[in-house]
Amino acid sequence: MGRALPGNYADQETLTAALRAHWAAQHFNADRLEELHRAVKVKGRHLALPLAAYPPLDTFKKSNDAWIRVAEELGAEAVMRALDDAGLRPADVDQLVFVTVTGLATPSIDAKLVNRLGLRRDVKRLPIFGLGCVAGAAGLARLSDLMSSSPGGVGVLLSVELCSLTLQRDDLSVANAVASGIFGDGAAAVVLAGGSREVKASPRPRVVATRAAFYPDTEWVMGWDFRDTGFQVVLSAEVPRITRENIAGDVDGFLASHGLGRGDVRHWIAHTGGPRVLEAFQSALALPDGALRRSWTSLEEVGNLSSASVLFVLGDLLDSGEPRPGDLGLVVAMGPGFCAEMVLLRW
Amino acid sequence: MTAPPGPTPREKEVAAEIRRIVREQLHARTEFGDDEELASRLDSLELLSLVVAVEDRFRILLTDEDAAQARSLSDLARIVAARAPEQVAP
């Protein structure tokens, strides 16, 4: 695993103060912005650019040009760290899956990394745009599917999300106020090695199985509205309810198909959607206290990094050295669709 | 023994407007009952969203004490109607 955060860090108070003038222009009670930003339990976030560089980004082109530049830099850093961690070199990579929902590039960022990092000319690339927050888990699942036909191969999943570059400062909706309080920037890369491939890093988990769960007729819950200035967030307050109503059944069904139950899972690696989503995970799955502590800590320290978040939580778990051989872990994320993706890991 | 007084016309008007806000701005898919507990249907973030929308619509400030007293939609409508007795154009 490799993770990379931009060097520009701002605490929550600083970020809230920077947005307050916009909020006060439209809303009767500007103090509410601070209340909303406190409610999401984020202490601060890393930003693609220094705070002062954001006001001039008044068109999609300007924001997206910045996105392309920083996404390549941060993506390269995350991939190199992941390869170093696995004792591999760029030339060892056979498959590169790139996920994002915060910017557009063609050639895509993965193509730029072929040049920048010296990946092989025959590396198979798969850029995926649009899965949103679920793409950390979904990307891991899709890469695992690809790798199943390549037992000696090396695959890399890269997630880069620069949420700050999507912020629409003139969108004064409560959804945008929440989004402006919770989403941060970061990149994470995961190396998946085929079963017959030796890698340095150990002990590392194997992907046992993956499962997708789509919730019909919930397209309105989360996503983007595209406008001339970029991506405007769609974020329904019903996300926690939909999570609460569906996640236990989906997790149980997935685990049962492998002869397992929730009690067999020792490590819960949950997307840091926000306080209400994590509470929904916790209560719906009747998880013991502390089961999601790494998700809570990650949310507090860096905010919701969209698809990269669940990979950051996975990285924190790997760093902890806590997993023991034989342990099971479940990666769970939800995102636009609305949908969930799960990846079952065994150490 | 007499029944408690029903909502005034202004309170009914405010309640209808709050219902519209819940439906259109919070994207709630089902209607609220007048006396249904708000907290049983909305989580804290949703309640805060409702408060922001109500403050903007009626140009009033709602205090924590107001929020504690507004257990149901009709309670909230009563508080808002008392604070903003005149029609405020949207």
Side-chain angles (χ1 to χ4, degrees):
Chain A
M1 280 242 28
R3 286 159 285 170
L5 291 161
N8 312 294
Y9 176 83
D11 62 35
Q12 192 78 338
E13 291 72 27
T14 305
L15 290 167
T16 305
L19 293 168
R20 190 182 163 102
H22 292 281
W23 178 267
Q26 173 78 18
H27 287 299
F28 187 66
N29 184 2
D31 291 344
R32 293 287 174 208
L33 182 70
E34 285 166 34
E35 206 172 329
L36 282 163
H37 280 197
R38 269 200 309 272
V40 295
K41 296 191 163 53
V42 174
K43 285 189 175 166
R45 282 158 292 156
H46 292 261
L47 302 176
L49 305 175
L51 257 182
Y54 285 87
L57 302 178
D58 54 358
T59 65
F60 172 67
K61 177 178 167 43
K62 290 178 190 170
S63 301
N64 199 62
D65 283 351
W67 182 89
I68 292 171
R69 182 171 53 76
V70 180
E72 183 186 336
E73 285 170 15
L74 216 55
E77 202 178 319
V79 168
M80 285 313 296
R81 284 184 186 164
L83 290 173
D84 285 346
D85 183 44
L88 296 169
R89 296 169 299 117
D92 294 320
V93 178
D94 301 298
Q95 315 255 8
L96 176 57
V97 174
F98 172 65
V99 296
T100 192
V101 74
T102 50
L104 298 171
T106 302
S108 43
I109 298 300
D110 42 280
K112 293 176 182 297
L113 294 183
V114 174
N115 291 319
R116 184 173 178 135
L117 302 180
L119 300 182
R120 291 199 319 267
R121 286 178 61 229
D122 65 345
V123 64
K124 293 176 177 169
R125 299 180 294 115
L126 178 59
I128 302 175
F129 176 89
L131 285 169
C133 297
V134 80
L140 206 50
R142 301 299 172 274
L143 179 58
S144 168
D145 291 346
L146 289 171
M147 298 299 297
S148 64
S149 60
S150 163
V154 170
V156 173
L157 165 68
L158 170 64
S159 155
V160 180
E161 302 288 12
L162 306 177
C163 303
S164 69
L165 290 171
T166 67
L167 180 70
Q168 302 294 306
R169 279 179 297 279
D170 61 343
D171 171 9
L172 299 163
S173 69
V174 170
N176 195 42
V178 172
S180 72
I182 201 166
F183 287 104
D185 300 344
V190 181
V191 172
L192 276 191
S196 64
R197 180 99 191 188
E198 288 292 320
V199 292
K200 181 189 82 175
S202 66
R204 288 293 189 250
R206 287 186 179 281
V207 174
V208 177
T210 67
R211 175 71 60 93
F214 190 82
Y215 306 133
D217 303 320
T218 54
E219 290 172 38
W220 51 273
V221 166
M222 187 184 272
W224 294 131
D225 275 339
F226 292 94
R227 49 192 288 188
D228 291 345
T229 50
F231 306 167
Q232 180 173 19
V233 70
V234 175
L235 181 63
S236 162
E238 303 238 359
V239 167
R241 179 185 63 76
I242 294 172
T243 303
R244 211 162 26 240
E245 289 177 359
N246 291 284
I247 200 67
D250 288 326
V251 165
D252 288 347
F254 178 41
L255 292 175
S257 67
H258 296 276
L260 299 166
R262 284 181 226 166
D264 297 310
V265 175
R266 180 141 186 266
H267 308 288
W268 295 88
I269 304 133
H271 168 56
T272 60
R276 307 301 161 227
V277 174
L278 285 175
E279 284 165 9
F281 274 136
Q282 175 99 24
S283 66
L285 293 166
L287 297 178
D289 286 346
L292 300 180
R293 67 186 181 284
R294 288 196 176 85
S295 296
W296 283 105
T297 304
S298 184
L299 177 68
E300 191 178 291
E301 289 176 352
V302 295
N304 178 339
L305 305 177
S306 189
S307 67
S309 262
V310 79
L311 305 179
F312 268 67
V313 177
L314 177 61
D316 291 345
L317 173 62
L318 294 173
D319 285 352
S320 76
E322 202 179 286
R324 295 283 169 256
D327 279 3
L328 289 170
L330 190 66
V331 178
V332 191
M334 303 183 94
F338 198 66
C339 66
E341 293 267 350
M342 293 166 278
V343 180
L344 182 62
L345 303 175
R346 185 190 294 277
W347 270 261
Chain B
M1 199 164 162
T2 54
T8 65
R10 175 62 180 148
E11 285 169 12
K12 283 186 188 170
E13 191 181 38
V14 169
E17 185 60 11
I18 294 173
R19 263 182 224 290
R20 185 191 65 77
I21 289 170
V22 169
R23 196 170 51 244
E24 293 178 10
Q25 295 191 27
L26 273 69
H27 305 291
R29 289 297 167 113
T30 51
E31 286 286 332
F32 270 65
D34 280 343
D35 298 315
E36 197 176 346
E37 210 173 317
L38 290 170
S40 71
R41 288 278 300 278
L42 301 174
D43 65 35
S44 60
L45 219 46
E46 293 169 312
L47 282 168
L48 204 49
S49 302
L50 176 61
V51 167
V52 170
V54 166
E55 286 179 331
D56 286 347
R57 171 64 185 83
F58 297 99
R59 316 297 291 170
I60 56 169
L61 295 178
L62 292 171
T63 62
D64 289 348
E65 197 178 323
D66 293 332
Q69 285 176 7
R71 295 175 61 80
S72 66
L73 193 141
S74 51
D75 293 339
L76 180 59
R78 199 160 41 244
I79 292 166
V80 173
R83 202 71 54 79
E86 300 303 320
Q87 180 67 41
V88 176

